[in-house]
């Protein structure tokens, strides 16, 4: 399935897949004009991105790991915050996510949805390198290169392009040959429609460099990752990769970035502990087969022997995760203790990944009450953490503290109205309580947030037929039904 994300990104967004970060002098960067004049409005661009992401989230290659996603989100939003203008006219939030794919790549969807391959996470040797990639993609989004690309012709082209790209995701039975043909034809067709691709890259480089510098990262990360990408390009030259063939990497680009970096004073950036831990998690998520886990454990054992504190911590963290995957919580606990010894209790307490692992280990060991306690303390340290909020709710559920978890989740739902995961958790608790109508309504809400309105309407019908449905529930069902049927009707008109 991994190939389908590559083809989706290449066919729909040829201009915005990962390019090597290039540093050019301000005077050498062309202006692409006033973004406000683009035919595709910011509202339409964001809506298109949401519709694409609704499909992406259903795909097996999408990494649905709250801890990894939260790390990327925290890093990405730190970069975005370095320059408030990057959010654009609607001040939209950016969404960062990972894709299970061993290749070195990243891409952006319309509206600020930025994906990173797990292979890129493993290839990045420092947090500044990873940040340089995200900065470049943020530059594409902030300058609305995707909107400009899609509106070079008529706005009507949006639907067929998006439909073709999304069809790739559904073409699992068609094999790799089908994907290669589709990306070859569609990718080159889009490329031929664009006459400012290189200018867009230069502009994204300029914006990305400014963002990276403003966020306090080492700009040398651009140089080192640029060279890594050049090596990767040579590696994939014989593979069907239309995007890389139409965007060759040259020595001139390397020279440009090096010149820009040399003009800046050296700034050392201390990598966050979680950067190393998340890379260990990505290695296991990329290939969770039996052989994949064995291969990952070999890497982790070498890291433990490295003598480097951060690599030793990452190695033991990876071994702990692998032990949990193999249903050995005691072994996981031992490796977690080793991580704490290496980094110290203070650093361990400040790590999102380690707090999450401690809770997961307790739950796996059947220590639900202790897990609830650890989760409550972790949430108090990270009050805005979605990953820990999910774990806290799950720990209370496993401990059969149903009334407590319902109260907690209802508060969370009010604060995070667009969070489908909270609705699914709430549905699970209602089901355990025997509250079938509320369970189906909560599931309907989660489906609607994922863009699956037909499935949401089916859940409403089930809720309406439940024996425990109340008059108030019926009113809620009626209101949702009117709203979602109108959306489905509009969707049908677009087809």
């Amino acid at each position: 399935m991994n190939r389908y994300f590559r083809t989706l990104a290449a066919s729909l967004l040829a201009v915005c897949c990962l390019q090597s970060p290039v540093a050019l002098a301000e005077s050498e960067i062309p202006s692409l004009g006033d973004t406000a004049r683009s035919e595709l409005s910011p509202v339409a661009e964001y809506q298109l991105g949401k519709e694409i992401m609704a499909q992406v989230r259903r795909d097996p290659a999408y990494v649905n790991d709250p801890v990894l996603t939260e790390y990327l989100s925290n890093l990405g939003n730190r970069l975005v915050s370095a320059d408030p203008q990057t959010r654009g006219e609607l001040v939209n939030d950016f969404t960062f996510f990972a894709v299970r794919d061993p290749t070195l790549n990243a891409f952006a969807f319309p509206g600020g949805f930025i994906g990173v391959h797990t292979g890129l996470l493993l290839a990045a040797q420092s947090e500044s390198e990873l940040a340089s990639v995200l900065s470049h993609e943020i530059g594409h989004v902030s300058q609305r290169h995707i909107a400009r690309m899609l509106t070079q012709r008529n706005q009507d082209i949006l639907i067929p392009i998006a439909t073709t790209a999304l069809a790739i995701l559904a073409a699992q039975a068609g094999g790799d040959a089908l994907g290669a043909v589709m990306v070859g034809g569609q990718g080159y067709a889009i490329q031929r429609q664009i006459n400012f691709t290189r200018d867009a890259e230069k502009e994204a480089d300029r914006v990305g460099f400014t963002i990276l510098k403003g966020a306090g990262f080492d700009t040398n990360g651009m140089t080192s990752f640029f060279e890594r990408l050049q090596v990767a390009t040579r590696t994939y030259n014989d593979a069907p990769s239309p995007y890389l063939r139409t965007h060759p990497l040259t020595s001139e680009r390397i020279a440009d970035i090096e010149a820009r970096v040399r003009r800046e004073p050296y700034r050392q950036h201390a990598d966050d502990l979680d950067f190393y831990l998340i890379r260990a998690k990505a290695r296991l998520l990329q290939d969770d087969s039996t052989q994949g886990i064995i291969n990952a454990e070999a890497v982790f054992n070498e890291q433990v022997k490295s003598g480097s504190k951060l690599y030793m911590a990452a190695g033991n963290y990876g071994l702990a995760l692998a032990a949990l995957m193999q249903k050995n919580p005691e072994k996981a606990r031992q490796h977690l203790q080793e991580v704490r010894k290496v980094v110290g209790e203070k650093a361990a307490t400040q790590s999102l990944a380690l707090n999450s692992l401690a809770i997961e280990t307790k739950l796996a060991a059947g220590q639900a009450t202790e897990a609830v306690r650890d989760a409550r303390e972790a949430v108090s340290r990270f009050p805005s953490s979605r990953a820990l909020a999910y774990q806290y709710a799950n720990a209370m559920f496993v401990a059969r503290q149903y009334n407590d978890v319902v109260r907690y989740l209802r508060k969370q739902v009010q604060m995070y109205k667009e969070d489908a995961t909270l609705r699914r958790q709430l549905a699970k608790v209602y089901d355990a309580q025997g509250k079938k109508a509320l369970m189906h309504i909560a599931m309907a809400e989660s489906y609607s947030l994922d863009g699956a309105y037909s499935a949401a309407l089916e859940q409403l019908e089930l809720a309406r037929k439940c024996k425990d449905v109340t008059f108030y529930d019926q009113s809620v069902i009626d209101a949702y039904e009117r709203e979602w049927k109108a959306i489905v009707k509009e969707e049908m008109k677009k087809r």
Side-chain angles (χ1 to χ4, degrees):
M1 229 4 241
N2 296 344
R3 179 179 295 277
Y4 298 104
F5 272 97
R6 293 199 294 274
T7 53
L8 171 63
S11 60
L12 177 61
L13 304 168
V15 74
C16 291
C17 290
L18 170 65
Q19 287 295 301
S20 305
V22 180
L24 296 172
E26 296 282 343
S27 60
E28 298 173 313
I29 306 297
S31 172
L32 298 186
D34 184 0
T35 60
R37 295 178 183 175
S38 172
E39 294 177 28
L40 181 62
S41 71
V43 173
E45 184 183 359
Y46 181 67
Q47 186 59 38
L48 177 60
K50 284 184 65 177
E51 291 174 4
I52 296 171
M53 280 303 300
Q55 299 294 326
V56 169
R57 289 191 176 101
R58 299 171 199 165
D59 193 275
Y62 174 76
V63 176
N64 186 22
D65 185 271
V67 174
L68 189 151
T69 300
E70 188 163 321
Y71 170 79
L72 286 177
S73 297
N74 289 342
L75 177 59
N77 285 314
R78 174 180 171 182
L79 293 165
V80 171
S81 298
D83 184 359
Q85 293 183 351
T86 58
R87 293 191 183 275
E89 299 168 34
L90 294 182
V91 197
N92 286 332
D93 289 332
F94 279 65
T95 298
F96 300 87
F97 62 98
V99 173
R100 193 174 287 105
D101 191 309
T103 61
L104 197 156
N105 210 347
F107 52 90
F109 287 150
F113 299 90
I114 295 175
V116 179
H117 288 194
T118 49
L120 187 145
L121 287 171
L122 297 180
Q125 297 300 300
S126 71
E127 202 166 28
S128 291
E129 286 190 4
L130 177 58
S132 74
V133 175
L134 296 183
S135 295
H136 184 87
E137 296 303 321
I138 292 168
H140 275 309
V141 174
S142 69
Q143 300 306 299
R144 304 199 62 222
H145 292 157
I146 307 168
R148 296 173 190 177
M149 179 192 74
L150 293 176
T151 54
Q152 282 295 292
R153 291 174 62 187
N154 187 285
Q155 208 167 5
D156 292 340
I157 199 174
L158 290 175
I159 295 173
I161 288 177
T163 301
T164 300
L166 294 177
I168 295 171
L169 291 176
Q172 300 181 42
D176 286 351
L178 173 63
V181 170
M182 293 185 75
V183 71
Q186 187 73 7
Y188 282 124
I190 293 176
Q191 181 62 35
R192 285 195 299 269
Q193 296 169 18
I194 306 167
N195 58 15
F196 57 73
T197 298
R198 292 184 180 179
D199 286 347
E201 286 303 316
K202 291 176 182 178
E203 190 171 51
D205 291 334
R206 171 177 59 80
V207 174
F209 189 93
T210 301
I211 291 171
L212 188 68
K213 176 184 173 183
F217 288 94
D218 179 8
T219 53
N220 283 284
M222 278 192 161
T223 308
S224 56
F225 202 86
F226 185 90
E227 295 167 351
R228 215 178 307 286
L229 184 60
Q230 186 185 45
V231 172
T233 301
R234 289 198 295 266
T235 301
Y236 296 123
N237 263 347
D238 296 331
S241 179
Y243 179 74
L244 288 178
R245 289 199 295 268
T246 56
H247 298 77
L249 299 176
T250 65
S251 58
E252 179 185 358
R253 292 173 70 85
I254 296 177
D256 286 335
I257 182 66
E258 289 177 341
R260 181 65 176 266
V261 171
R262 280 197 299 269
R263 288 196 291 269
E264 298 293 332
Y266 174 69
R267 175 184 290 175
Q268 187 173 15
H269 172 78
D271 291 337
D272 191 285
L273 169 62
D274 275 356
F275 167 73
Y276 293 90
L277 305 185
I278 289 301
R279 290 172 71 240
K281 180 181 275 282
R283 188 177 297 278
L284 288 166
L285 290 172
Q286 183 171 284
D287 183 0
D288 59 0
S289 66
T290 300
Q291 187 58 50
I293 295 174
I294 292 172
N295 294 341
E297 286 180 320
V299 173
F300 298 147
N301 280 315
E302 287 301 312
Q303 290 179 334
V304 169
K305 299 174 186 175
S306 69
S308 164
K309 185 171 78 170
L310 290 172
Y311 278 105
M312 290 170 66
N316 275 298
Y317 173 79
L319 290 170
L321 289 176
L324 287 178
M325 295 171 74
Q326 296 164 332
K327 302 189 185 306
N328 189 339
E330 176 55 28
K331 185 177 179 181
R333 186 193 65 79
Q334 293 172 4
H335 283 296
L336 176 58
Q337 284 298 108
E338 287 301 314
V339 178
R340 285 176 170 151
K341 288 180 183 177
V342 170
V343 303
E345 283 298 324
K346 182 178 180 181
T349 301
Q350 296 172 344
S351 165
L352 169 68
L354 292 180
N355 275 271
S356 175
L357 177 60
I359 299 164
E360 191 177 350
T361 302
K362 290 259 179 25
L363 286 174
Q367 301 170 340
T369 302
E370 292 86 346
V372 171
R373 180 201 62 213
D374 286 359
R376 185 185 302 114
E377 293 174 355
V379 167
S380 68
R381 288 192 289 269
F382 299 86
S384 61
S385 171
R386 309 314 309 131
L388 293 176
Y390 302 149
Q391 282 191 297
Y392 185 29
N394 185 53
M396 285 189 282
F397 176 79
V398 174
R400 298 178 180 272
Q401 299 175 9
Y402 298 144
N403 291 334
D404 290 339
V405 69
V406 166
R407 282 193 293 269
Y408 178 72
L409 286 173
R410 280 178 171 168
K411 290 180 181 178
Q412 290 290 305
V413 164
Q414 289 302 310
M415 290 189 291
Y416 302 94
K417 298 183 185 297
E418 300 297 313
D419 193 324
T421 300
L422 293 173
R423 267 73 174 187
R424 286 192 287 272
Q425 286 189 304
L426 196 51
K428 186 177 179 180
V429 182
Y430 283 143
D431 188 36
Q433 291 179 315
K435 299 177 179 179
K436 300 301 181 182
L438 290 176
M439 183 267 288
H440 286 298
I441 292 173
M443 281 304 300
E445 291 172 333
S446 73
Y447 282 134
S448 72
L449 290 170
D450 286 336
Y453 292 103
S454 295
L457 288 168
E458 290 175 5
Q459 288 294 318
L460 291 183
E461 280 302 307
L462 292 173
R464 196 186 297 279
K465 296 175 182 177
C466 289
K467 294 180 180 179
D468 61 343
V469 66
T470 66
F471 177 78
Y472 176 77
D473 295 337
Q474 291 282 13
S475 299
V476 172
I477 292 170
D478 290 341
Y480 279 148
E481 190 174 57
R482 287 191 298 271
E483 178 185 350
W484 297 342
K485 280 185 175 180
I487 293 174
V488 171
K489 186 177 180 180
E490 285 299 312
E491 289 179 344
M492 293 299 292
K493 290 181 181 178
K494 296 177 183 178
R495 295 177 184 176

